[in-house]
């Protein structure tokens, strides 16, 4: 649009004042009633998320549920929210949160007698580029195995649903019936009414002034009106989350972001419609738009260079008294998006604007909330960092309530674990990532997505400077870790795609390297703990379903939940009598540590638990020539007879003392070397120099993923998590139901085994073309959805696509034909015997057996 038109547009905005206050404020300016002395669960924060948790806990039957609100309910971000509700989420697990929210909101008015202003006209996400169409196809296959209805529709149907659209650029739409919007204030008040109805106590004008942990794991919560002793506390304070966390030594990585939306006066073309318009999300324009009475409401997400952070609140705290206030609006900042909205919905060009709302919403570095118990202190939970609190509130309240009541998460939601962040999450990193996440709100969501703002953090291994220019780095819990390496002539750089892209050839080269020669991989991001002390064996025997390894030995063990779900997979080595080293994945470091610490504290075990993740580097050396290379650098005998599979030894390698475990997640002959981080580069360079004749080179995590799948290795977070039990995941070998210790989940597994499995993990080969599965795709059989993949990759050894997937027990038999949906097409797949490639220990054992035959 021309500059003169822009100026004219601003001149037609009739009111820049904040919107009128919500319909009624029933909160009092005083406490209004006596503060009770104790609480089972004390929730701090009266936005829609905190009140939802109070409602769900009270409804589930918990007594003494207390909520403290510093001013009045909805103060903060809830009261001014646009109130959008959608079943859609690009992630897998958060779809469940959205689903439970909408199902709650549908019946809440009937349950509580309080109107909630819930509209469900559906929503349409607009695709105006071929990449967007592919993205929608990608998302469809990740949705078919969920209960949410969702449809990929053509331009004709899009126009039928939203007749005011300019269809010139519309190629397709993702239509979700049941989506819509709700009045946030009314929703919160209905949840509060329900919470009170079921027995919860809600106190307004009750700010928390201090938090003191007690020796028995409880909390003294101080307010101006007295102190409440609580068995657990939940931080649900929105953009005050950092300040509350600082009371107990945490720096929660949350930051307020300025978000604006525009509300128009009556639009004649809208008023003339016979039914409410669906919500639209113009992904290229990066805005949402919905009907508001007889007008329209639309809200943009500016690019990162234009968006505004309220970073002063991170440094100095939220101004005293801020609660129902707004920021000054800034039309210039969103004008590009206003123009795109006018082009897509031409009636906006002639609409008068009655309000521009600019209020704070809370972001985390990755835009996902922080939900669950926090590591490092007992009985402190968070429900913070909600950029989309209204759609999350109902489902998160139920999720946390179920977890608190049962002692375990009802389903896997590790991407929202508050413990995914750590000391490496600095304020500069937080600001850089929040800017990126806000500006990237509507970018195309590719598989294996990488975002680069704020990187690297302080959490880099000793090899980072040596490798950073030779490879494509991935981000794992703050670490930089090579995904794959470049060679001269390669197409280098980050090239996201829904099909095979520039890393496909290099990853094949690295797989061949490990299978035929020797490769080195940086595995430093592994989480690493030392557990020792009088009760260490007893504690671990309680936590893990496998027996504990003897001194000098290693095994794979699993922590289970009381319901028998797989909470974690850990490699355990007994280094000395009563001293164990535990190794877990990078993404579950503090997730697993919290579970271990909680059991140690609750059971009063005499143990010392130390997190050594950042101080110890890890090198993986794998391939048929790995022994030959390493033997050049040590006097330790590395032969099969002297250094057996799953054995651990302290050795000198290249003059450096380290621990070596004979194990490799590639399934090939290999060792993991655990070395003090300052010595890691020295050891790496010695290995690379020693292996020149053997053809040594680097390899990355993409190759390791392909090799582990060929060998039939399960991955935690994919084949096993809090949604699966170890029996259906095929982990029977690691589960010792007959061991004397009463490990967590043992009783549940006996019951599951007695009842029989209803589904099982199957190993699939696929007949594909230029695309491979990656996990979470829909599996079909005879036109019906029957399961989902959990992970997938291309097998370079067997030249075909592979996947693991869960199928009904009757379909999980070798030879069964099914179909796997990839990018809108169903590809033939076959259940095959696993593995396709035998592991090196198995091959060696079979060779020895063959030689021993007469």
């Amino acid at each position: 649009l021309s500059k003169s038109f822009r100026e004219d547009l601003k001149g037609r905005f009739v009111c820049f004042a904040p919107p009128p206050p919500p319909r009624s404020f029933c909160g009092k300016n005083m406490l209004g009633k006596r503060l009770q002395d104790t609480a089972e669960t004390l929730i701090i924060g009266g936005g829609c998320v905190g009140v939802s948790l109070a409602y769900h806990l009270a409804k589930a039957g918990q007594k003494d549920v207390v909520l403290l609100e510093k001013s009045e309910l909805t103060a903060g971000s809830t009261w001014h929210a646009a109130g959008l509700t959608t079943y859609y989420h690009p992630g897998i697990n958060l779809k469940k949160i959205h689903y439970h929210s909408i199902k709650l909101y549908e019946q809440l008015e009937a349950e509580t007698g309080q109107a909630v202003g819930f509209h469900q006209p559906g929503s349409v996400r607009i695709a105006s580029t071929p990449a967007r169409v592919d993205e929608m196809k990608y998302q469809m296959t990740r949705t078919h195995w969920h209960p949410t209805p969702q449809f990929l529709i053509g331009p004709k149907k899009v126009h039928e649903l939203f007749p005011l659209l300019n269809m010139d650029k519309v190629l397709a739409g993702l239509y979700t019936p049941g989506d819509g919007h709700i009045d946030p204030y009314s929703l919160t008040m209905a949840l509060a009414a329900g919470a009170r109805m079921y027995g919860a106590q809600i106190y307004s004008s009750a700010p928390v002034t201090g938090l003191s942990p007690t020796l028995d794991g409880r909390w003294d919560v101080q307010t101006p009106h007295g102190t409440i002793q609580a068995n657990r506390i939940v931080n649900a304070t929105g953009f005050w989350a950092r300040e509350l966390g600082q009371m107990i030594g945490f720096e929660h990585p949350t930051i307020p972001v300025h978000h604006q939306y525009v509300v128009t006066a009556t639009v004649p073309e809208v008023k003339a419609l016979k039914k409410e318009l669906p919500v639209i999300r113009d992904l290229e324009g990066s805005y949402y738009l919905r009907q508001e009475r007889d007008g329209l409401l639309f809200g943009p997400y500016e690019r990162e260079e234009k968006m505004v952070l309220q970073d002063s609140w991170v440094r100095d705290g939220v101004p005293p008294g801020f609660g129902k206030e707004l920021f000054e609006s800034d039309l210039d900042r969103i004008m590009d998006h206003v123009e795109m909205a006018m082009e897509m919905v031409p009636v906006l060009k002639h609409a008068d604007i009655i309000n521009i709302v600019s209020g704070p919403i809370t972001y985390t570095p990755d835009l996902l909330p922080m939900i669950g118990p926090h590591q490092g202190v007992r009985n402190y939970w968070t429900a913070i960092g909600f950029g989309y609190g209204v759609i999350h509130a109902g489902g998160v309240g139920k999720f946390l309530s179920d977890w608190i009541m049962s002692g375990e998460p009802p389903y896997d939601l590790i991407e929202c674990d508050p413990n995914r962040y750590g000391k490496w999450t600095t304020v500069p990193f937080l600001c850089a990532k929040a800017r990126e996440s806000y500006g990237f709100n509507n970018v195309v969501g590719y598989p294996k997505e990488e975002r680069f703002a704020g990187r690297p953090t302080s959490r880099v291994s000793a090899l980072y400077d040596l490798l950073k220019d030779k490879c494509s780095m991935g981000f794992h819990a703050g670490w930089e870790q090579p995904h794959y390496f470049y060679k001269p002539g390669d197409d280098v750089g980050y090239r996201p795609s829904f099909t095979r892209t520039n890393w496909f050839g290099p990853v094949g080269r690295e797989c061949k390297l490990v299978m035929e020669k020797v490769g080195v991989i940086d595995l430093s991001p592994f989480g690493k703990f030392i557990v020792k002390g009088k009760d260490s064996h007893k504690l671990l025997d309680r936590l893990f379903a496998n027996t504990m390894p003897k001194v000098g030995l290693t095994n794979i063990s699993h922590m289970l939940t009381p319901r028998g779900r797989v909470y974690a997979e850990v490699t355990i080595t007994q280094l000395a009598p009563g001293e164990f080293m535990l190794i877990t994945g990078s993404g579950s470091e503090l997730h697993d540590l919290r579970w271990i610490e909680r059991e140690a504290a609750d059971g009063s075990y005499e143990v010392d638990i130390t997190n050594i993740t950042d101080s110890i580097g890890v090198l993986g050396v794998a391939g048929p020539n790995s022994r030959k290379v390493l033997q050049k650098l040590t006097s330790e005998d590395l032969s099969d007879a002297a250094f057996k599979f799953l054995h651990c030894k302290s050795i000198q390698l290249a003059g450096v003392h380290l621990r070596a475990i004979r194990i490799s997640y590639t399934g090939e002959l290999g060792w993991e070397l655990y070395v003090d981080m300052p010595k890691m580069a020295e050891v790496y360079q010695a290995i690379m120099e020693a292996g020149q004749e053997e053809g040594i080179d680097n390899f990355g995590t993409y190759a390791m993923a392909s090799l582990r799948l060929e060998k039939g290795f399960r991955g935690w977070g994919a084949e096993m998590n809090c949604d699966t039990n170890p029996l259906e995941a095929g982990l029977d070998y690691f589960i010792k139901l007959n061991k004397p210790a009463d490990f967590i989940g043992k009783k549940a597994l006996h019951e599951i085994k007695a009842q029989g499995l209803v589904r099982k993990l199957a190993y699939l080969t696929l007949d594909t073309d230029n695309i491979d599965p990656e996990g979470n795709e829909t599996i079909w059989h005879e036109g019906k959805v029957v399961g989902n993949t959990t992970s997938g990759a291309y097998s370079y050894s067997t030249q075909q696509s592979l996947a693991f997937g869960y199928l009904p027990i009757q379909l999980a038999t070798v030879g069964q034909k099914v179909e796997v949906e990839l990018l809108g097409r169903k590809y033939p797949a076959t259940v095959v015997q696993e593995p396709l490639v035998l592991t090196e220990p198995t091959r060696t054992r079979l060779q020895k057996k063959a030689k021993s035959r007469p």
Side-chain angles (χ1 to χ4, degrees):
L1 299 180
S2 68
K3 181 178 180 181
S4 61
F5 186 89
R6 288 189 179 208
E7 295 303 317
D8 177 65
L9 178 65
K10 293 182 193 178
R12 290 192 290 106
F13 280 20
V14 299
C15 177
F16 287 90
R23 267 57 69 195
S24 63
F25 290 112
C26 59
K28 300 179 181 179
N29 291 325
M30 59 189 71
L31 195 61
K33 53 186 172 182
R34 181 181 179 276
L35 198 71
Q36 67 183 63
D37 298 325
T38 62
E40 177 64 28
T41 299
L42 190 147
I43 302 155
I44 306 168
C48 57
V49 173
V51 178
S52 173
L53 177 55
Y55 160 85
H56 279 95
L57 282 171
K59 186 175 181 179
Q62 185 173 104
K63 306 300 181 185
D64 290 332
V65 176
V66 174
L67 184 146
L68 301 180
E69 162 54 41
K70 71 190 302 288
S71 58
E72 54 187 308
L73 299 184
T74 76
S77 295
T78 298
W79 73 275
H80 62 74
L84 298 181
T85 57
T86 177
Y87 285 113
Y88 177 88
H89 193 279
I92 295 302
N93 300 320
L94 275 162
K95 294 181 193 296
K96 300 174 186 176
I97 293 288
H98 288 209
Y99 179 84
H100 289 306
S101 289
I102 289 176
K103 292 308 176 186
L104 169 65
Y105 302 164
E106 286 176 342
Q107 56 85 35
L108 190 59
E109 183 172 339
E111 180 184 358
T112 65
Q114 298 278 325
V116 296
F118 193 22
H119 298 245
Q120 293 184 274
S123 77
V124 181
R125 302 174 70 83
I126 303 297
S128 52
T129 67
R132 289 290 184 190
V133 177
D134 281 348
E135 179 185 25
M136 290 180 178
K137 292 176 180 178
Y138 174 72
Q139 287 299 334
M140 284 300 296
T141 188
R142 294 160 66 85
T143 300
H144 279 137
W145 57 280
H146 286 268
T148 304
Q150 184 173 285
F151 305 94
L152 182 60
I153 59 176
K156 182 178 179 181
K157 181 64 175 177
V158 171
H159 193 250
E160 178 185 322
L161 290 167
F162 202 111
L164 303 183
L165 282 182
N166 173 3
M167 300 299 294
D168 289 351
K169 296 181 179 179
V170 177
L171 300 179
L174 201 64
Y175 173 49
T176 313
D179 284 6
H181 55 96
I182 195 167
D183 175 43
Y185 179 83
S186 298
L187 167 64
T188 307
M189 292 306 164
L191 289 167
R196 294 187 183 102
M197 182 172 70
Y198 293 117
Q201 295 294 317
I202 298 177
Y203 299 94
S204 297
S205 300
V208 171
T209 56
L211 295 171
S212 302
T214 63
L215 293 176
D216 60 358
R218 291 186 286 180
W219 290 91
D220 286 335
V221 181
Q222 289 98 39
T223 80
H225 311 285
T227 298
I228 302 177
Q229 188 167 85
N231 287 347
R232 74 184 57 79
I233 56 175
V234 183
N235 182 346
T237 57
F239 51 71
W240 290 278
R242 283 183 68 88
E243 294 179 46
L244 191 78
Q246 286 167 351
M247 291 182 181
I248 55 175
F250 290 122
E251 296 286 343
H252 295 313
T254 61
I255 188 169
V257 173
H258 289 227
H259 179 63
Q260 299 186 98
Y261 63 82
V262 177
V263 184
T264 77
T266 295
V267 177
E269 293 88 344
V270 174
K271 187 174 183 178
L273 295 170
K274 294 182 180 179
K275 63 179 181 178
E276 184 175 354
L277 291 166
V279 179
I280 64 164
R281 291 173 174 83
D282 179 0
L283 303 176
E284 294 304 309
S286 191
Y287 65 85
Y288 56 83
L289 182 147
R290 68 168 175 83
Q291 187 171 334
E292 174 72 2
R293 297 184 175 87
D294 291 330
L296 295 169
L297 179 155
F298 65 100
Y301 293 96
E302 308 96 291
R303 293 188 302 273
E304 57 184 301
E305 67 271 16
K306 287 193 172 184
M307 61 85 67
V308 175
L309 298 174
Q310 194 63 30
D311 50 359
S312 65
W313 291 8
V314 175
R315 296 191 309 268
D316 308 323
V318 181
F322 192 98
K324 287 287 181 73
E325 290 72 33
L326 293 170
F327 300 130
E328 185 176 348
S329 59
D330 183 355
L331 180 61
D332 285 332
R333 203 171 77 232
I334 62 172
M335 184 57 76
D336 291 345
H337 304 278
V338 171
E339 293 177 2
M340 286 184 278
M342 288 179 170
E343 183 180 2
M344 184 64 75
V345 186
V347 296
L348 278 173
K349 293 179 181 179
H350 308 291
D352 287 331
I353 308 303
I354 58 172
N355 282 314
I356 303 176
V357 178
S358 179
I361 59 175
T362 308
Y363 265 42
T364 62
D366 61 10
L367 190 50
L368 296 176
M370 299 168 64
I371 305 168
H374 207 290
Q375 186 271 333
V377 64
R378 295 172 69 186
N379 298 317
Y380 172 68
W381 297 58
T382 62
I384 59 177
F386 292 92
Y388 309 101
V390 171
I391 185 53
H392 288 154
V396 166
K398 177 173 171 53
F399 178 85
L400 284 176
S401 173
D402 289 351
W403 191 346
I404 289 169
M405 296 296 286
S406 69
E408 64 178 282
Y411 49 87
D412 180 47
L413 199 61
I414 193 172
E415 64 266 50
C416 295
D417 188 345
N419 306 298
R420 68 187 184 273
Y421 299 118
K423 294 179 180 178
W424 53 269
T425 317
T426 61
V427 171
F429 174 83
L430 165 63
C431 293
K433 297 305 284 188
R435 284 188 177 280
E436 179 186 56
S437 293
Y438 191 87
F440 277 44
N441 241 297
N442 290 310
V443 299
V444 176
Y446 288 102
K448 296 181 170 63
E449 183 182 58
E450 288 291 325
R451 295 185 178 182
F452 299 97
R455 296 169 52 183
T457 71
S458 60
R459 209 177 203 196
V460 294
S461 84
L463 302 189
Y464 176 72
D465 288 333
L466 293 173
L467 302 181
K468 65 181 180 180
D469 297 326
K470 302 177 181 179
C471 66
S472 176
M473 287 283 186
F475 188 72
H476 302 273
W479 296 90
E480 298 289 330
Q481 186 176 28
H483 278 163
Y484 71 96
F485 286 81
Y486 311 138
K487 294 292 182 186
D490 288 346
D491 178 15
V492 303
Y494 177 59
R495 303 281 188 272
S497 173
F498 293 105
T499 57
R500 294 172 187 164
T501 183
N502 62 330
W503 51 260
F504 185 78
V507 172
R509 182 173 63 219
E510 292 173 19
C511 288
K512 183 180 176 68
L513 167 77
V514 175
M515 292 295 291
E516 297 179 2
K517 297 179 182 178
V518 55
V520 179
I521 184 171
D522 183 358
L523 298 174
S524 299
F526 280 165
K528 317 167 198 80
F529 320 128
I530 296 293
V531 180
K532 61 183 179 179
K534 174 174 169 287
D535 293 334
S536 59
H537 194 288
K538 183 179 177 184
L539 169 65
L540 298 180
D541 229 8
R542 168 67 176 161
L543 282 166
F544 290 94
N546 205 344
T547 54
M548 289 303 100
K550 297 177 180 179
V551 174
L553 298 184
T554 298
N555 71 17
I556 309 297
S557 299
H558 299 85
M559 290 193 289
L560 309 181
T561 70
R563 290 187 301 154
R565 306 301 178 96
V566 184
Y567 189 83
E569 181 178 74
V570 178
T571 302
I572 301 179
T573 303
Q574 188 165 187
L575 304 176
E579 180 178 351
F580 297 84
M581 181 170 68
L582 279 58
I583 307 299
T584 188
S586 59
S588 50
E589 173 197 346
L590 300 183
H591 167 272
D592 295 359
L593 182 59
R594 186 205 66 83
W595 188 267
I596 295 167
E597 290 175 337
R598 185 214 60 184
E599 182 62 26
D602 290 351
S604 300
Y605 293 92
E606 293 185 31
V607 293
D608 179 51
I609 302 170
T610 307
N611 186 352
I612 59 171
T613 299
D614 289 355
S615 62
I616 300 295
V618 187
L619 288 170
V621 184
N625 292 340
S626 58
R627 178 186 286 117
K628 187 176 180 181
V629 171
L630 294 178
Q631 192 66 79
K632 296 179 185 180
L633 300 171
T634 182
S635 60
E636 188 75 35
D637 186 353
L638 302 183
S639 66
D640 269 333
F643 204 144
K644 297 179 180 179
F645 181 57
L646 294 179
H647 280 228
C648 173
K649 292 185 179 184
S650 293
I651 67 172
Q652 290 280 332
L653 191 87
V656 176
H657 177 77
L658 53 80
R659 296 189 189 277
I661 302 177
R662 187 172 160 197
I663 190 173
S664 173
Y665 292 103
T666 67
E668 293 304 302
L669 175 66
W671 279 263
E672 287 179 3
L673 309 176
Y674 292 79
V675 57
D676 290 339
M677 192 66 80
K679 292 287 187 179
M680 184 183 181
E682 178 183 338
V683 173
Y684 167 80
Q685 289 173 317
I687 292 171
M688 298 303 287
E689 184 176 343
Q692 291 304 302
E693 292 182 5
E694 289 73 23
I696 198 167
D697 212 336
N698 297 292
F699 72 102
T701 58
Y702 285 179
M704 187 168 69
S706 173
L707 292 166
R708 75 97 177 163
L709 202 64
E710 290 179 344
K711 308 303 195 303
F713 292 173
R714 279 82 169 139
W716 191 87
E719 286 69 54
M720 55 184 127
N721 54 34
C722 288
D723 294 328
T724 61
N725 69 66
L727 304 182
E728 65 188 4
L731 298 171
D732 311 53
Y733 176 81
F734 305 101
I735 307 300
K736 303 300 190 286
L737 285 172
N738 294 325
K739 81 171 188 176
D742 184 23
F743 62 84
I744 298 170
K746 185 176 186 178
K747 180 181 178 183
L749 285 190
H750 278 295
E751 293 173 356
I752 291 169
K753 191 171 183 179
Q755 293 168 0
L757 300 177
V758 296
R759 67 171 191 166
K760 195 168 180 62
L761 189 68
Y763 195 53
L764 303 167
T765 58
L766 285 75
D767 183 11
T768 64
D769 38 43
N770 191 38
I771 188 171
D772 301 296
E774 64 156 18
N776 296 312
E777 295 95 359
T778 301
I779 303 177
W780 298 80
H781 180 249
E782 296 181 348
K784 295 181 180 179
V785 174
V786 294
N788 64 279
T789 61
T790 54
S791 59
Y794 185 77
S795 165
Y796 295 89
S797 298
T798 65
Q799 299 288 294
Q800 60 189 326
S801 290
L802 299 178
F804 272 121
Y806 278 102
L807 289 172
I809 198 77
Q810 65 273 17
L811 296 179
T813 55
V814 172
Q816 177 67 55
K817 303 291 185 181
V818 292
E819 293 175 305
V820 175
E821 183 182 349
L822 302 174
L823 214 59
R825 178 180 167 188
K826 296 174 184 175
Y827 289 88
T830 305
V831 178
V832 297
Q833 185 68 45
E834 59 175 289
L836 282 181
V837 179
L838 295 176
T839 65
E840 180 274 334
T842 302
R843 296 197 303 266
T844 299
R845 187 172 61 251
L846 291 176
Q847 289 168 2
K848 289 180 178 178
K849 188 175 180 179
K851 288 180 180 179
S852 66
R853 290 174 183 165

